[in-house]
Amino acid sequence: MSDAVKVTRDGDVALIELNEPASRNAFSQDIRDGLRDAAAALTGDATLRAVVLTGTGGVFSAGGDLKAMLRRHKSGEEYSHDTAKARMEALHDWFKQFCALPVPVIAAVDGPAYGAGFGLAMCADIVIASERAEFGASFAKVGAVPDCNLMWSLPRIIGLQKARELFYTARVVGATEAQALGICMEVLPPDAVLPRALEIAGMMQETSQLAFSLTKELTGRALQSDAETMLKLEAEAQAQCLTSEYHINAIGRFTEKKPPKFNFS
Protein backbone atom coordinates (compact mmCIF):
# COMPACT_ATOMS: atom_id res chain seq x y z
CA MET A 1 0.00 0.00 0.00
CA SER A 2 1.33 3.46 -0.96
CA ASP A 3 2.30 5.83 1.89
CA ALA A 4 0.38 8.50 -0.04
CA VAL A 5 -2.84 6.74 0.98
CA LYS A 6 -3.16 5.52 4.56
CA VAL A 7 -5.61 2.69 5.22
CA THR A 8 -6.37 1.76 8.82
CA ARG A 9 -9.01 -0.47 10.37
CA ASP A 10 -11.10 -0.03 13.48
CA GLY A 11 -12.95 -3.29 13.67
CA ASP A 12 -15.15 -3.55 10.60
CA VAL A 13 -14.64 0.09 9.54
CA ALA A 14 -11.88 1.07 7.09
CA LEU A 15 -10.49 4.61 7.19
CA ILE A 16 -8.84 5.77 3.95
CA GLU A 17 -6.80 8.99 4.15
CA LEU A 18 -5.23 10.81 1.21
CA ASN A 19 -1.87 11.68 2.69
CA GLU A 20 0.09 14.11 0.51
CA PRO A 21 -0.88 17.45 2.10
CA ALA A 22 2.14 19.26 0.58
CA SER A 23 0.53 18.79 -2.85
CA ARG A 24 -2.97 19.33 -1.43
CA ASN A 25 -3.64 15.63 -1.94
CA ALA A 26 -3.67 16.06 -5.71
CA PHE A 27 -4.06 12.90 -7.76
CA SER A 28 -0.35 12.09 -8.05
CA GLN A 29 0.63 8.69 -9.35
CA ASP A 30 1.29 7.61 -5.75
CA ILE A 31 -2.21 8.61 -4.67
CA ARG A 32 -3.72 6.91 -7.71
CA ASP A 33 -1.75 3.75 -6.90
CA GLY A 34 -2.75 3.93 -3.23
CA LEU A 35 -6.44 4.30 -4.04
CA ARG A 36 -6.19 1.47 -6.56
CA ASP A 37 -4.62 -0.79 -3.93
CA ALA A 38 -7.18 0.21 -1.30
CA ALA A 39 -10.09 -0.49 -3.65
CA ALA A 40 -8.65 -3.89 -4.54
CA ALA A 41 -8.07 -4.80 -0.89
CA LEU A 42 -11.58 -3.80 0.20
CA THR A 43 -13.45 -5.37 -2.70
CA GLY A 44 -14.72 -8.76 -1.59
CA ASP A 45 -13.71 -8.25 2.06
CA ALA A 46 -16.50 -10.07 3.90
CA THR A 47 -15.56 -8.45 7.23
CA LEU A 48 -15.96 -4.89 5.93
CA ARG A 49 -19.03 -2.99 7.15
CA ALA A 50 -18.26 0.67 6.34
CA VAL A 51 -15.62 2.93 4.75
CA VAL A 52 -14.67 6.49 5.67
CA LEU A 53 -12.78 8.49 3.05
CA THR A 54 -10.93 11.71 3.93
CA GLY A 55 -7.83 13.83 3.29
CA THR A 56 -5.07 15.07 5.58
CA GLY A 57 -3.72 18.56 6.19
CA GLY A 58 -7.05 20.38 5.97
CA VAL A 59 -7.53 19.40 2.31
CA PHE A 60 -9.70 16.64 0.87
CA SER A 61 -8.14 16.71 -2.61
CA ALA A 62 -7.16 19.41 -5.09
CA GLY A 63 -7.93 17.01 -7.95
CA GLY A 64 -5.68 16.32 -10.91
CA ASP A 65 -1.92 16.71 -10.52
CA LEU A 66 -1.52 19.66 -12.93
CA LYS A 67 2.19 20.09 -12.20
CA ALA A 68 2.86 16.49 -13.25
CA MET A 69 0.78 17.00 -16.40
CA LEU A 70 2.78 20.10 -17.31
CA ARG A 71 6.09 18.29 -16.69
CA ARG A 72 5.04 15.56 -19.10
CA HIS A 73 4.21 18.06 -21.82
CA LYS A 74 7.42 20.08 -21.32
CA SER A 75 9.65 17.01 -21.24
CA GLY A 76 8.54 16.01 -24.70
CA GLU A 77 7.14 12.75 -23.33
CA GLU A 78 4.73 11.28 -25.81
CA TYR A 79 1.22 12.01 -24.58
CA SER A 80 -1.09 10.99 -27.35
CA HIS A 81 -4.87 10.65 -27.41
CA ASP A 82 -4.49 6.91 -26.75
CA THR A 83 -2.12 7.51 -23.82
CA ALA A 84 -4.48 10.01 -22.21
CA LYS A 85 -7.44 7.69 -22.69
CA ALA A 86 -5.54 4.75 -21.20
CA ARG A 87 -4.70 6.81 -18.09
CA MET A 88 -8.37 7.68 -17.63
CA GLU A 89 -9.43 4.06 -18.09
CA ALA A 90 -6.88 2.94 -15.48
CA LEU A 91 -8.36 5.49 -13.06
CA HIS A 92 -11.86 4.26 -13.88
CA ASP A 93 -10.91 0.67 -13.01
CA TRP A 94 -10.35 1.42 -9.32
CA PHE A 95 -12.92 4.23 -9.17
CA LYS A 96 -15.68 1.84 -10.24
CA GLN A 97 -14.61 -0.53 -7.47
CA PHE A 98 -15.10 2.22 -4.88
CA CYS A 99 -18.54 3.06 -6.28
CA ALA A 100 -19.53 -0.61 -6.21
CA LEU A 101 -18.49 -1.35 -2.61
CA PRO A 102 -21.58 -2.96 -1.02
CA VAL A 103 -21.14 -1.07 2.27
CA PRO A 104 -21.71 2.54 3.38
CA VAL A 105 -19.00 4.89 2.09
CA ILE A 106 -18.82 8.17 4.02
CA ALA A 107 -16.71 11.10 2.82
CA ALA A 108 -15.36 13.46 5.49
CA VAL A 109 -14.51 16.59 3.48
CA ASP A 110 -12.39 19.19 5.22
CA GLY A 111 -11.12 21.98 2.99
CA PRO A 112 -11.07 21.91 -0.83
CA ALA A 113 -12.51 19.09 -2.92
CA TYR A 114 -11.74 20.21 -6.45
CA GLY A 115 -11.91 18.52 -9.82
CA ALA A 116 -11.31 14.79 -9.50
CA GLY A 117 -11.35 15.27 -5.72
CA PHE A 118 -14.93 16.54 -6.02
CA GLY A 119 -15.75 13.44 -8.06
CA LEU A 120 -14.16 11.19 -5.45
CA ALA A 121 -16.26 12.77 -2.69
CA MET A 122 -19.42 12.29 -4.75
CA CYS A 123 -18.84 8.53 -4.97
CA ALA A 124 -19.71 8.37 -1.26
CA ASP A 125 -23.18 7.52 0.04
CA ILE A 126 -22.99 10.27 2.67
CA VAL A 127 -20.83 13.42 2.66
CA ILE A 128 -19.99 15.27 5.88
CA ALA A 129 -18.30 18.64 5.31
CA SER A 130 -16.39 21.09 7.45
CA GLU A 131 -17.26 24.78 7.59
CA ARG A 132 -14.19 25.46 5.44
CA ALA A 133 -15.02 22.78 2.85
CA GLU A 134 -15.17 23.88 -0.77
CA PHE A 135 -16.39 21.97 -3.80
CA GLY A 136 -15.34 22.94 -7.30
CA ALA A 137 -15.73 21.34 -10.71
CA SER A 138 -12.68 23.22 -11.93
CA PHE A 139 -12.17 21.38 -15.22
CA ALA A 140 -13.30 24.20 -17.51
CA LYS A 141 -10.45 26.37 -16.20
CA VAL A 142 -7.95 24.03 -17.87
CA GLY A 143 -10.00 23.11 -20.92
CA ALA A 144 -11.09 19.69 -19.67
CA VAL A 145 -14.40 17.91 -19.09
CA PRO A 146 -15.58 16.75 -15.65
CA ASP A 147 -14.24 13.32 -14.75
CA CYS A 148 -14.24 10.83 -11.88
CA ASN A 149 -17.88 10.15 -12.78
CA LEU A 150 -19.02 13.72 -11.94
CA MET A 151 -21.02 13.96 -15.16
CA TRP A 152 -23.10 11.03 -13.87
CA SER A 153 -23.19 11.69 -10.14
CA LEU A 154 -23.61 15.45 -9.80
CA PRO A 155 -26.74 15.88 -12.00
CA ARG A 156 -28.40 13.11 -10.00
CA ILE A 157 -27.57 14.83 -6.71
CA ILE A 158 -28.33 18.48 -7.52
CA GLY A 159 -30.22 18.38 -10.83
CA LEU A 160 -29.07 18.78 -14.42
CA GLN A 161 -29.38 22.58 -14.73
CA LYS A 162 -27.43 23.30 -11.53
CA ALA A 163 -24.78 20.71 -12.35
CA ARG A 164 -24.27 22.27 -15.77
CA GLU A 165 -23.95 25.71 -14.18
CA LEU A 166 -21.18 24.43 -11.88
CA PHE A 167 -19.48 22.66 -14.80
CA TYR A 168 -19.72 25.67 -17.14
CA THR A 169 -18.62 28.32 -14.64
CA ALA A 170 -16.13 26.20 -12.65
CA ARG A 171 -17.06 28.29 -9.62
CA VAL A 172 -16.35 27.13 -6.08
CA VAL A 173 -19.24 26.20 -3.81
CA GLY A 174 -18.81 26.78 -0.09
CA ALA A 175 -20.05 24.46 2.62
CA THR A 176 -23.33 26.27 3.33
CA GLU A 177 -24.38 26.31 -0.32
CA ALA A 178 -23.19 22.73 -0.76
CA GLN A 179 -25.49 21.61 2.04
CA ALA A 180 -28.42 23.54 0.53
CA LEU A 181 -27.79 21.89 -2.85
CA GLY A 182 -27.56 18.41 -1.34
CA ILE A 183 -23.85 17.93 -2.05
CA CYS A 184 -23.20 17.33 1.65
CA MET A 185 -25.52 16.19 4.44
CA GLU A 186 -24.02 18.03 7.42
CA VAL A 187 -21.65 20.96 8.00
CA LEU A 188 -19.55 20.89 11.15
CA PRO A 189 -16.44 22.56 12.62
CA PRO A 190 -13.25 21.12 11.07
CA ASP A 191 -12.25 19.09 14.13
CA ALA A 192 -15.71 17.47 14.30
CA VAL A 193 -15.97 16.21 10.71
CA LEU A 194 -13.90 13.03 10.86
CA PRO A 195 -15.24 11.97 14.30
CA ARG A 196 -18.80 12.42 12.99
CA ALA A 197 -18.06 10.36 9.87
CA LEU A 198 -16.53 7.60 12.01
CA GLU A 199 -19.53 7.77 14.36
CA ILE A 200 -21.94 7.25 11.46
CA ALA A 201 -19.80 4.41 10.12
CA GLY A 202 -19.81 2.78 13.54
CA MET A 203 -23.59 2.99 13.81
CA MET A 204 -23.98 1.43 10.38
CA GLN A 205 -21.91 -1.60 11.35
CA GLU A 206 -25.04 -3.22 12.75
CA THR A 207 -27.09 -2.99 9.56
CA SER A 208 -28.01 -6.00 7.47
CA GLN A 209 -25.18 -6.23 4.97
CA LEU A 210 -27.50 -7.92 2.50
CA ALA A 211 -30.23 -5.27 2.80
CA PHE A 212 -27.76 -2.41 2.53
CA SER A 213 -25.93 -3.79 -0.49
CA LEU A 214 -29.20 -4.41 -2.33
CA THR A 215 -30.54 -0.95 -1.42
CA LYS A 216 -27.33 0.66 -2.68
CA GLU A 217 -27.36 -1.34 -5.91
CA LEU A 218 -31.03 -0.74 -6.71
CA THR A 219 -31.11 2.97 -5.87
CA GLY A 220 -28.07 3.37 -8.09
CA ARG A 221 -30.17 2.05 -10.97
CA ALA A 222 -33.41 3.85 -10.09
CA LEU A 223 -32.95 7.00 -12.16
CA GLN A 224 -32.24 5.08 -15.34
CA SER A 225 -34.95 2.42 -14.94
CA ASP A 226 -38.72 2.49 -15.33
CA ALA A 227 -41.15 1.85 -12.46
CA GLU A 228 -42.03 -1.66 -13.61
CA THR A 229 -38.37 -2.71 -13.72
CA MET A 230 -37.78 -1.29 -10.25
CA LEU A 231 -40.81 -3.16 -8.87
CA LYS A 232 -39.44 -6.43 -10.22
CA LEU A 233 -36.00 -5.73 -8.74
CA GLU A 234 -37.64 -4.72 -5.44
CA ALA A 235 -39.60 -7.98 -5.28
CA GLU A 236 -36.49 -10.09 -5.82
CA ALA A 237 -34.43 -8.10 -3.34
CA GLN A 238 -37.12 -8.15 -0.68
CA ALA A 239 -37.53 -11.90 -1.07
CA GLN A 240 -33.83 -12.30 -0.31
CA CYS A 241 -34.06 -10.03 2.73
CA LEU A 242 -37.26 -11.46 4.22
CA THR A 243 -35.75 -14.95 4.24
CA SER A 244 -32.43 -13.82 5.72
CA GLU A 245 -31.24 -14.68 9.22
CA TYR A 246 -30.81 -10.97 10.03
CA HIS A 247 -34.48 -10.23 9.27
CA ILE A 248 -35.76 -13.23 11.21
CA ASN A 249 -33.67 -12.22 14.25
CA ALA A 250 -34.78 -8.58 13.92
CA ILE A 251 -38.50 -9.32 13.95
CA GLY A 252 -37.89 -11.73 16.84
CA ARG A 253 -36.29 -8.90 18.83
CA PHE A 254 -39.25 -6.65 17.98
CA THR A 255 -41.88 -9.11 19.17
CA GLU A 256 -39.88 -9.72 22.35
CA LYS A 257 -39.73 -5.92 22.93
CA LYS A 258 -35.93 -5.92 22.77
CA PRO A 259 -34.14 -2.91 21.27
CA PRO A 260 -33.28 -3.27 17.58
CA LYS A 261 -29.75 -4.31 16.72
CA PHE A 262 -29.54 -1.34 14.34
CA ASN A 263 -30.89 2.06 15.43
CA PHE A 264 -29.44 5.05 13.59
CA SER A 265 -29.80 8.07 15.86
Side-chain angles (χ1 to χ4, degrees):
M1 194 74 69
S2 168
D3 291 339
V5 176
K6 293 167 56 180
V7 181
T8 53
R9 290 288 288 261
D10 182 4
D12 297 334
V13 176
L15 172 62
I16 301 173
E17 298 174 279
L18 307 187
N19 190 41
E20 285 190 340
S23 68
R24 295 163 60 84
N25 297 322
F27 272 39
S28 66
Q29 191 59 52
D30 285 343
I31 279 188
R32 285 170 174 250
D33 291 345
L35 287 170
R36 177 202 64 205
D37 293 345
L42 296 176
T43 299
D45 183 344
T47 68
L48 187 68
R49 291 293 180 271
V51 173
V52 174
L53 181 61
T54 194
T56 57
V59 179
F60 185 76
S61 173
D65 189 350
L66 299 183
K67 291 181 180 178
M69 294 180 194
L70 185 59
R71 283 196 300 271
R72 281 197 299 271
H73 288 297
K74 284 188 171 181
S75 70
E77 176 185 340
E78 182 182 354
Y79 198 56
S80 64
H81 171 279
D82 290 345
T83 302
K85 186 177 179 181
R87 281 182 61 81
M88 287 305 305
E89 289 173 342
L91 181 150
H92 290 164
D93 285 343
W94 60 258
F95 191 86
K96 287 187 288 187
Q97 287 185 301
F98 267 116
C99 293
L101 287 173
V103 299
V105 177
I106 303 156
V109 178
D110 181 25
Y114 295 159
F118 189 4
L120 183 62
M122 292 300 95
C123 84
D125 302 294
I126 293 173
V127 178
I128 307 297
S130 77
E131 295 162 338
R132 62 187 181 185
E134 295 179 335
F135 300 87
S138 50
F139 305 91
K141 292 181 179 180
V142 292
V145 299
D147 60 22
C148 270
N149 214 32
L150 261 183
M151 284 198 277
W152 185 90
S153 63
L154 197 60
R156 284 163 170 76
I157 294 168
I158 68 173
L160 179 59
Q161 181 173 230
K162 198 64 184 178
R164 281 177 169 166
E165 186 257 324
L166 296 187
F167 293 154
Y168 294 168
T169 65
R171 71 179 180 87
V172 172
V173 173
T176 300
E177 183 182 1
Q179 185 178 26
L181 289 172
I183 289 171
C184 61
M185 187 177 78
E186 297 179 10
V187 176
L188 300 168
D191 61 357
V193 173
L194 182 55
R196 176 58 173 157
L198 291 169
E199 178 189 24
I200 293 172
M203 288 189 287
M204 288 188 169
Q205 283 182 277
E206 297 301 321
T207 60
S208 161
Q209 192 174 22
L210 173 64
F212 185 91
S213 64
L214 289 169
T215 300
K216 183 170 182 175
E217 178 187 353
L218 268 59
T219 54
R221 299 169 64 175
L223 294 180
Q224 58 204 46
S225 298
D226 58 78
E228 186 63 28
T229 297
M230 291 307 299
L231 286 172
K232 290 177 181 177
L233 293 171
E234 175 190 299
E236 172 58 31
Q238 197 69 302
Q240 293 182 51
C241 290
L242 296 184
T243 54
S244 69
E245 183 178 352
Y246 187 101
H247 173 72
I248 294 167
N249 288 340
I251 59 175
R253 294 177 71 87
F254 177 81
T255 57
E256 294 167 13
K257 301 188 183 303
K258 294 180 180 178
K261 191 175 181 182
F262 170 62
N263 185 20
F264 187 90
S265 61

